[in-house]
Amino acid sequence: MRTSIATVSLSGPLTEKLTAAARAGFDGVEIFENDLLASPLTPEEIRARCADLGLSIDLYQPMRDIEAVPAEEFARNLRRARAKFALMNRLGADTVLVCSSVSPLAEDDDALAAEQLARLAGLAQDFGIRVAYEALAWGRHVSTYDHAWHIVETAGHPALGTCLDSFHILSRGSDPKGIEDIPGEKIFFLQLADAPLPAMDVLQWSRHHRRFPGQGGFDVAGLLRHVLRAGYDGPLSLEVFNDVFRQAEAGPTAVDARRSLLLLQEEAGLGALPAPVVPTGVAFAELVTPDAEPVSALLGPLGFARTARHRGKPVELWEQGEARVLVNTGPAALPHARLRSRGGTPMSGGTPIDGTTLAAVGLESPDPAAAARRAEALLAPVLPRRRAAEDAPLDAVAAPDGTELFLCATDRPGLPNWRADFEDVPHTPAAGAVVRIDHLSLTQPWHHFDEAVLFHRGVLGLDAQESVDVADPYGLLRSRAVTTADGGVRIPLTVGAAPADDTAHARHIALATDDVVAAARRFVAAGGSLLPIPANYYDDLAARFEFTDGELETYRELGILYDRDTRGEFRHCYTRTVGRVFFELVQRDGGYQGYGAANAPVRLAAQHAVR
Amino acid sequence: MRTSIATVSLSGPLTEKLTAAARAGFDGVEIFENDLLASPLTPEEIRARCADLGLSIDLYQPMRDIEAVPAEEFARNLRRARAKFALMNRLGADTVLVCSSVSPLAEDDDALAAEQLARLAGLAQDFGIRVAYEALAWGRHVSTYDHAWHIVETAGHPALGTCLDSFHILSRGSDPKGIEDIPGEKIFFLQLADAPLPAMDVLQWSRHHRRFPGQGGFDVAGLLRHVLRAGYDGPLSLEVFNDVFRQAEAGPTAVDARRSLLLLQEEAGLGALPAPVVPTGVAFAELVTPDAEPVSALLGPLGFARTARHRGKPVELWEQGEARVLVNTGPAALPHARLRSRGGTPMSGGTPIDGTTLAAVGLESPDPAAAARRAEALLAPVLPRRRAAEDAPLDAVAAPDGTELFLCATDRPGLPNWRADFEDVPHTPAAGAVVRIDHLSLTQPWHHFDEAVLFHRGVLGLDAQESVDVADPYGLLRSRAVTTADGGVRIPLTVGAAPADDTAHARHIALATDDVVAAARRFVAAGGSLLPIPANYYDDLAARFEFTDGELETYRELGILYDRDTRGEFRHCYTRTVGRVFFELVQRDGGYQGYGAANAPVRLAAQHAVR
């Protein structure tokens, strides 16, 4: 029989996947939509590449959340499907995978599902396309293969069949014997995968995945309170079996462990720590670089003005609105690349700085000294307060990843003013559209991700948001933001799966603007170069959302990405990377809370492509 | 309150753990038994080290499978406990953790459990020790904290209390409020850990942990047969979402994927592959080394004789019984260090060879040419058959890790004889106790472990044994042996968790002997040096097993390790490591089937210590 492989099964950019599949002797491929979106090749070019390699495109996938929805939603879905069918014609793919809906809009109504799938199949037929309907094991109403087949049979349309996937069938424990009752010609496609039987019983959970208190999902403080009420006065002892800790250097793990216990005791009402002093905003971001020129070549076009320089050190201050960036060309005096691996072997994230990096963050604090006292009580290394006799006495601590966190005040009476260490230089005022720093994305060493989240939560009093997985062409990234309630401080902490991957380890400064198009145009007009985004991405946007006339064309021209959540919209674009740092311009509207995670795979693929 | 940390929560050897705990400000530690066994320090020295660091030893743990067992078993348990209590006195630890039994011998009898625990507590009291009884979440009959407390209460012994562990309580969803009903003075110890709530639902399973057919636990071939009976004739397509594949180089993954489909089709009765030709034994192991001297300095004392040399290349043959080792000082001509990472970044296992390594294996094959035809049909790279005009035409293929596998015959009429490429050199006959190669341990690149198992199973027709996890001081190792039914070929495939860890990546040749003591003595007498094993290990053996007079002393003197399974006994010892290779001497008695996995943590710690 002919053999195929889904591009999602292989690593790297689409062209590498196709070449690997052809060389291994596969006859065809399934094109996974995200691989197409992230590719710089047009659909026609992908089609030609496959033909050159002797590969057929056996399936385009997936189309989601189509069926059993209210009429107006289904009309939108048909519009989206029409765009995808046109794309498939360009690609030369004649079968599309539709997986059973997980949408909260979907109704538990097989007749409606059948009717709408028949209408979808009718549209597909006009394009010469067949629709293969598959039951996801976690589908909202349709989750078994026989249920999916029942709907297909009810629909009774020649262009509608079913797709069988061994994972979805066997993971649910369904009896595959019933497959024999489906007419073979109505099985449009067969996807094969194996999987380890779930070994995640409580013993495995216990021996491999424990965490220090505050780093998991248990109410450990609640339990502790019960134990105290019983009258226990023995030690509080941490017994944590964890595969990652087994590999991490003992010293930092022990510090993280003690910090966890201190926070637990505070939460359980034992012992008193200095109260948290939550920062109110970002005072500055500090880049350390051996050469200020490439950084200046970004900051100038972004609209920043070089306004001041440090009185005693080679540090320049660039300002625009409330956004402040320090560019430090002096020796990296502080331990911001503290190696967190044993034996000096460089591990991910702990790699010594070999170029430009985001090494320090100034946080606007209502009471810097009190914030530092809490940090110190929680075992954060306190950095020297005064770097020179005439400098303002700044409170600073090191985060677990070595980033210097300055707890500071900007031009606030009665508090030491870091700004006073700088003397103004003649400059033309900043003229860009940037108003402040929106967020700072800090990549983390992979050994200590959960600890980093607990540090920012416990020491700085930030709130931890949900953890998000993002697919990079070369591995998965995990990202979790720590923020203040009003969004004045937003720090996404990110960890890459691939230890050797530089792209995944670049940090970035996101600059907030009220008009990302104006900010992007200004940057380009001043000679800046934005990260190019593949045209396929915009075709997908066009299928998914409606835009005003010319809006999408502008985004496509500039490389602006778009996302939407239940509250609002997000538009953003990226500069090229300098060393291990890049900038993002972001426009948040209507209370959008995220960071464009849906666009991260496309952004990461584009960054891999230009390096 | 006082704070403690279990040594198992930290990485590295015991002394590093203690230092890290003290520096982080902990007041005490729990000593995990395996950490003590693997330490070269005596209990008195560990006690002194803790005192110097200002650490108390708050708990010794764990003591397992004590209670609710038949009388004669309990007598053995008391004997074991007495040895451990004596050890604890030397250590200065006054509380021992006893966790609820998981033994198949344990009876569901609370009264018996209480009676035996009271007797254990009576013995402990004589040593000034308290017993803290804890319910493991997966205990055979006792798995909840209130049940454990009920038994402790019934026992009514002053030296018996309970130990509470937040993981065991919260992972089962028990209501911790009931803790308040336990008298505080009977809570002897509190262990704290958090854990992520199980996110391993079917969606996570599907998106991160799929495997190619044959690499998991599903009956994919069975499903395929049903689909074929339904009349499906479309493509067989692999759709595999897997976090590891996302990081691995696309080319080798695609080849592994196609091989999986070929084997699946064979299993489902589609298409015909050349039948498997199962090897019958190990013809030779080949070491590639830049310098033969350090290897010769091991082989000689091990009892090998240098019997022959290759007619055309700098390869020497060493023999003893049926054990044959080739020492190749020529250029490593074949791709045995094929880098399996993208972009040339060295990844674990794919690290370029920088010294001595085990690069090739000769497998005795009933039909070498047929075996090679199957390997080729299954996409194994076939290596040039004849290296020089006068050489025997050898069939050889590359395993996924690059190891050369020679499918060959040794002095068997009618088949090309690899041995004929060697000419004898004058030598004194081998005089050691080694009779054959017992097994070859091949470390694997971490990206392709499951594929390596499928390769050896599908291509060579070997059987895959159960996968075993082994704790290394710096991470977990996973090991899975592929073998013939009669044990003539045994190849444990091992993958380390820590990418940068050389110790975990050394391969080894295990030599079978009928008298490991004689073989070890001969090696030492000839100037060889065996891996030293900590004395604590032998104290533990003495507590666990009974030996004949002087037997244990001999093992202690030589560094011989001991294990037992339901069928027989295993005695083994190790040479020092040369480059990335070491030797093991093994004596199997009574049908023992394993590889001494229980001793691997001690062996690995000892290897870390001498490097």
Side-chain angles (χ1 to χ4, degrees):
Chain A
M1 295 177 83
R2 302 183 61 258
T3 58
S4 283
I5 186 165
T7 54
V8 77
S9 312
L10 300 171
S11 175
L14 182 58
T15 48
E16 282 183 21
K17 296 178 186 214
L18 296 176
T19 304
R23 286 206 183 138
F26 283 94
D27 304 303
V29 290
E30 304 176 21
I31 300 275
F32 191 66
E33 182 161 81
N34 273 345
D35 284 320
L36 179 119
L37 301 193
S39 174
L41 300 190
T42 64
E44 289 80 4
E45 286 166 339
I46 294 169
R47 175 185 201 153
R49 182 69 63 100
C50 287
D52 289 348
L53 291 166
L55 293 171
S56 54
I57 298 180
D58 294 328
L59 192 76
Y60 184 77
Q61 68 128 317
M63 196 173 277
R64 296 186 193 278
D65 296 336
I66 288 285
E67 80 285 11
V69 290
E72 64 279 18
E73 178 71 10
F74 185 65
R76 273 191 293 272
N77 291 350
L78 277 188
R79 179 178 162 281
R80 168 159 63 98
R82 183 182 298 274
K84 295 298 177 185
F85 292 155
L87 167 73
M88 287 174 64
N89 280 172
R90 296 170 64 196
L91 203 54
D94 67 1
T95 306
V96 66
L97 175 76
V98 170
C99 44
S100 62
S101 182
V102 298
S103 164
L105 295 175
E107 292 165 34
D108 188 6
D109 182 340
D110 288 358
L112 181 61
E115 181 211 316
Q116 291 183 342
L117 285 171
R119 286 178 59 197
L120 180 76
L123 178 63
Q125 202 169 28
D126 296 343
F127 288 84
I129 285 170
R130 306 188 310 166
V131 173
Y133 181 60
E134 169 187 84
L136 287 182
W138 55 90
R140 187 167 161 83
H141 302 297
V142 178
S143 58
T144 58
Y145 77 89
D146 47 336
H147 192 177
W149 161 239
H150 169 71
I151 290 171
V152 167
E153 194 175 22
T154 306
H157 194 287
L160 181 68
T162 191
C163 172
L164 299 176
D165 181 314
S166 64
F167 181 87
H168 292 300
I169 296 168
L170 298 174
S171 67
R172 290 192 54 102
S174 297
D175 183 349
K177 188 158 189 332
I179 293 170
E180 298 185 20
D181 301 331
I182 306 174
E185 71 277 8
K186 294 301 273 186
I187 304 175
F188 281 5
F189 211 74
L190 173 64
Q191 296 178 311
L192 297 170
D194 201 343
L197 300 181
M200 191 66 163
D201 58 11
V202 72
L203 190 146
Q204 292 290 319
W205 190 20
S206 171
R207 296 228 173 126
H208 303 286
H209 301 280
R210 294 191 186 203
R211 299 275 197 285
F212 293 125
Q215 296 174 4
F218 288 166
D219 180 11
V220 183
L223 179 136
L224 176 55
R225 279 190 288 264
H226 292 303
V227 176
L228 296 172
R229 279 189 212 123
Y232 174 75
D233 66 356
L236 302 178
S237 188
L238 295 167
E239 190 196 25
V240 173
F241 300 81
N242 181 290
D243 291 353
V244 173
F245 298 166
R246 285 180 197 273
Q247 295 177 57
E249 197 186 350
T253 305
V255 170
D256 291 329
R258 263 264 291 162
R259 180 179 305 124
S260 147
L261 269 191
L262 290 166
L263 289 165
L264 178 72
Q265 290 178 80
E266 178 183 52
E267 196 182 344
L270 288 170
L273 293 169
V277 181
V278 182
T280 55
V282 176
F284 61 81
E286 180 172 347
L287 302 178
V288 171
T289 181
D291 175 10
E293 185 44 41
V295 174
S296 306
L298 288 178
L299 289 169
L302 282 167
F304 281 83
R306 195 170 63 86
T307 57
R309 71 173 154 245
H310 194 276
R311 295 178 193 280
K313 284 179 304 173
V315 181
E316 295 182 337
L317 170 60
W318 293 72
E319 294 188 274
Q320 179 176 196
E322 294 293 309
R324 301 176 201 92
V325 177
L326 302 183
V327 179
N328 183 347
T329 48
L334 293 164
H336 52 66
R338 186 156 63 104
L339 277 179
R340 301 205 58 168
S341 66
R342 78 197 133 77
T345 315
M347 294 287 199
S348 79
T351 312
I353 305 292
D354 56 356
T356 306
T357 193
L358 172 53
V361 174
L363 294 172
E364 206 71 58
S365 176
D367 185 344
R373 280 195 298 275
R374 179 173 176 86
E376 187 167 15
L378 284 165
L379 312 178
V382 173
L383 305 174
R385 286 195 88 212
R386 192 185 292 269
R387 305 204 231 179
E390 66 279 14
D391 285 356
L394 276 182
D395 291 291
V397 298
D401 64 351
T403 303
E404 297 170 50
L405 299 175
F406 287 89
L407 306 157
C408 57
T410 308
D411 299 330
R412 278 184 285 144
L415 290 173
N417 184 16
W418 67 273
R419 188 68 180 73
D421 294 341
F422 288 76
E423 60 191 358
D424 289 349
V425 296
H427 63 274
T428 315
V434 168
V435 292
R436 80 185 74 81
I437 288 176
D438 181 85
H439 63 271
L440 296 164
S441 174
L442 302 182
T443 46
Q444 298 292 306
W446 68 278
H447 294 97
H448 292 271
F449 184 72
D450 294 309
E451 296 84 320
V453 173
L454 184 61
F455 177 93
H456 286 86
R457 200 155 62 81
V459 174
L460 301 178
L462 299 176
D463 302 323
Q465 309 302 316
E466 285 297 296
S467 183
V468 179
D469 282 347
V470 173
D472 175 274
Y474 293 108
L476 275 190
L477 306 184
R478 198 173 146 213
S479 181
R480 192 167 183 191
V482 289
T483 66
T484 55
D486 66 358
V489 177
R490 300 180 199 254
I491 303 178
L493 302 167
T494 303
V495 67
D501 194 322
D502 267 1
T503 304
H505 294 133
R507 298 181 153 197
H508 79 265
I509 299 174
L511 302 165
T513 171
D514 296 328
D515 186 345
V516 72
V517 171
R521 285 209 192 285
R522 188 195 186 288
F523 179 67
V524 172
S529 170
L530 289 168
L531 183 73
I533 301 299
N536 296 329
Y537 171 80
Y538 295 98
D539 293 342
D540 180 62
L541 275 191
R544 288 163 56 214
F545 304 110
E546 295 194 59
F547 294 94
T548 57
D549 275 357
E551 188 181 356
L552 195 57
E553 289 63 36
T554 301
Y555 299 163
R556 188 191 295 262
E557 170 204 339
L558 291 166
I560 291 174
L561 300 147
Y562 178 85
D563 191 30
R564 182 185 285 178
D565 68 11
T566 53
R567 282 185 276 197
E569 294 175 298
F570 192 59
R571 295 168 175 84
H572 56 140
C573 58
Y574 296 90
T575 70
R576 302 295 183 104
T577 302
V578 171
R580 293 160 74 88
V581 174
F582 59 93
F583 291 86
E584 179 182 9
L585 290 164
V586 314
Q587 177 182 344
R588 288 179 189 274
D589 292 299
Y592 177 92
Q593 288 301 308
Y595 303 86
N599 296 323
V602 168
R603 185 257 296 175
L604 286 159
Q607 288 178 321
H608 283 290
V610 299
R611 286 173 84 87
Chain B
M1 294 175 86
R2 302 183 62 258
T3 59
S4 283
I5 186 165
T7 54
V8 77
S9 314
L10 300 170
S11 174
L14 182 58
T15 49
E16 282 183 21
K17 296 177 185 215
L18 297 176
T19 304
R23 286 205 184 138
F26 282 94
D27 303 305
V29 290
E30 303 175 22
I31 300 274
F32 191 66
E33 183 161 82
N34 273 345
D35 284 320
L36 179 118
L37 301 193
S39 174
L41 300 190
T42 64
E44 289 79 5
E45 286 167 337
I46 294 169
R47 176 185 200 151
R49 181 71 62 100
C50 288
D52 288 349
L53 291 166
L55 293 171
S56 54
I57 298 180
D58 293 328
L59 192 76
Y60 184 76
Q61 67 125 320
M63 195 172 279
R64 297 186 192 278
D65 296 336
I66 288 285
E67 81 285 12
V69 289
E72 65 279 20
E73 178 71 11
F74 185 65
R76 272 192 293 273
N77 290 349
L78 277 189
R79 179 179 161 281
R80 168 160 60 99
R82 185 183 296 273
K84 296 299 178 185
F85 293 156
L87 168 72
M88 287 174 64
N89 280 172
R90 296 170 63 195
L91 203 53
D94 67 1
T95 307
V96 66
L97 176 76
V98 169
C99 44
S100 62
S101 182
V102 298
S103 166
L105 296 175
E107 292 164 34
D108 188 7
D109 182 340
D110 288 358
L112 181 61
E115 181 212 315
Q116 292 183 341
L117 285 171
R119 285 178 58 197
L120 179 77
L123 178 63
Q125 202 170 29
D126 296 342
F127 288 83
I129 285 170
R130 307 188 308 168
V131 173
Y133 181 61
E134 170 187 81
L136 287 183
W138 54 91
R140 186 166 161 83
H141 302 297
V142 179
S143 58
T144 59
Y145 76 88
D146 46 337
H147 192 177
W149 161 238
H150 168 71
I151 291 171
V152 167
E153 195 176 22
T154 305
H157 195 287
L160 180 68
T162 191
C163 172
L164 299 175
D165 181 313
S166 63
F167 181 87
H168 292 300
I169 297 167
L170 297 174
S171 66
R172 291 193 52 103
S174 297
D175 182 350
K177 188 159 188 328
I179 293 170
E180 297 184 22
D181 300 332
I182 306 174
E185 71 278 7
K186 294 300 273 185
I187 304 175
F188 282 5
F189 210 75
L190 173 64
Q191 296 179 310
L192 297 169
D194 201 344
L197 300 182
M200 192 66 163
D201 58 12
V202 72
L203 189 145
Q204 293 289 318
W205 190 19
S206 171
R207 296 228 173 126
H208 303 286
H209 301 281
R210 293 191 186 203
R211 299 275 197 285
F212 293 125
Q215 296 174 5
F218 287 166
D219 180 11
V220 183
L223 180 136
L224 176 55
R225 279 190 289 264
H226 292 302
V227 176
L228 295 173
R229 279 188 211 124
Y232 174 75
D233 66 355
L236 302 178
S237 188
L238 294 168
E239 190 196 27
V240 173
F241 300 82
N242 181 290
D243 290 354
V244 173
F245 298 166
R246 285 179 197 275
Q247 295 176 57
E249 199 187 349
T253 305
V255 171
D256 291 330
R258 264 262 294 162
R259 179 178 306 125
S260 147
L261 269 191
L262 289 166
L263 289 166
L264 178 73
Q265 290 177 82
E266 178 183 53
E267 196 182 344
L270 287 170
L273 293 169
V277 181
V278 182
T280 56
V282 176
F284 61 81
E286 180 173 347
L287 302 178
V288 171
T289 180
D291 175 9
E293 184 43 42
V295 174
S296 306
L298 288 178
L299 288 169
L302 281 168
F304 281 83
R306 196 169 63 88
T307 56
R309 72 172 152 244
H310 195 276
R311 296 181 192 278
K313 284 178 304 170
V315 181
E316 296 181 336
L317 170 60
W318 293 72
E319 293 188 274
Q320 178 175 198
E322 295 293 308
R324 300 176 201 92
V325 177
L326 303 183
V327 179
N328 183 346
T329 48
L334 293 164
H336 54 67
R338 188 157 62 108
L339 278 178
R340 301 204 58 168
S341 65
R342 78 197 133 77
T345 314
M347 293 287 200
S348 81
T351 312
I353 306 291
D354 56 356
T356 306
T357 193
L358 173 52
V361 174
L363 294 172
E364 206 71 58
S365 177
D367 185 345
R373 280 194 298 276
R374 179 173 175 86
E376 187 167 17
L378 284 165
L379 313 179
V382 173
L383 305 174
R385 286 195 88 211
R386 194 185 292 270
R387 306 203 230 179
E390 66 280 14
D391 287 357
L394 276 181
D395 290 290
V397 298
D401 64 350
T403 303
E404 296 171 49
L405 299 175
F406 287 89
L407 306 159
C408 56
T410 308
D411 299 330
R412 278 185 284 145
L415 291 173
N417 184 16
W418 67 272
R419 187 68 180 71
D421 296 341
F422 288 77
E423 59 191 359
D424 289 348
V425 297
H427 65 273
T428 315
V434 168
V435 291
R436 80 184 75 82
I437 288 177
D438 181 85
H439 62 273
L440 296 165
S441 174
L442 302 183
T443 47
Q444 298 293 306
W446 68 279
H447 294 98
H448 293 271
F449 184 73
D450 294 307
E451 295 86 319
V453 173
L454 183 61
F455 177 92
H456 286 86
R457 200 155 61 81
V459 174
L460 302 179
L462 299 176
D463 302 323
Q465 309 302 317
E466 284 296 295
S467 183
V468 178
D469 283 346
V470 172
D472 175 275
Y474 293 109
L476 276 190
L477 306 184
R478 198 173 144 211
S479 182
R480 193 167 183 191
V482 289
T483 66
T484 55
D486 67 357
V489 177
R490 300 180 199 255
I491 304 178
L493 302 167
T494 302
V495 67
D501 195 321
D502 268 1
T503 304
H505 294 131
R507 297 180 155 198
H508 79 266
I509 299 175
L511 302 166
T513 171
D514 296 328
D515 186 345
V516 72
V517 171
R521 284 210 193 283
R522 190 197 183 289
F523 179 68
V524 171
S529 171
L530 289 167
L531 184 72
I533 301 298
N536 296 329
Y537 170 79
Y538 295 98
D539 293 344
D540 179 61
L541 276 191
R544 286 163 58 214
F545 304 110
E546 294 195 58
F547 294 95
T548 57
D549 274 357
E551 188 181 357
L552 195 58
E553 288 62 37
T554 302
Y555 299 164
R556 189 192 295 261
E557 170 204 339
L558 291 167
I560 291 173
L561 300 146
Y562 178 85
D563 192 29
R564 182 184 288 178
D565 67 12
T566 53
R567 283 185 275 196
E569 295 176 298
F570 192 59
R571 295 169 174 84
H572 56 140
C573 59
Y574 297 90
T575 70
R576 302 296 182 102
T577 303
V578 170
R580 293 159 73 88
V581 173
F582 58 94
F583 291 86
E584 180 181 9
L585 290 165
V586 314
Q587 177 182 345
R588 287 179 191 273
D589 293 299
Y592 176 92
Q593 289 301 308
Y595 302 86
N599 296 323
V602 168
R603 185 257 295 175
L604 286 158
Q607 289 178 321
H608 282 290
V610 298
R611 286 172 86 87

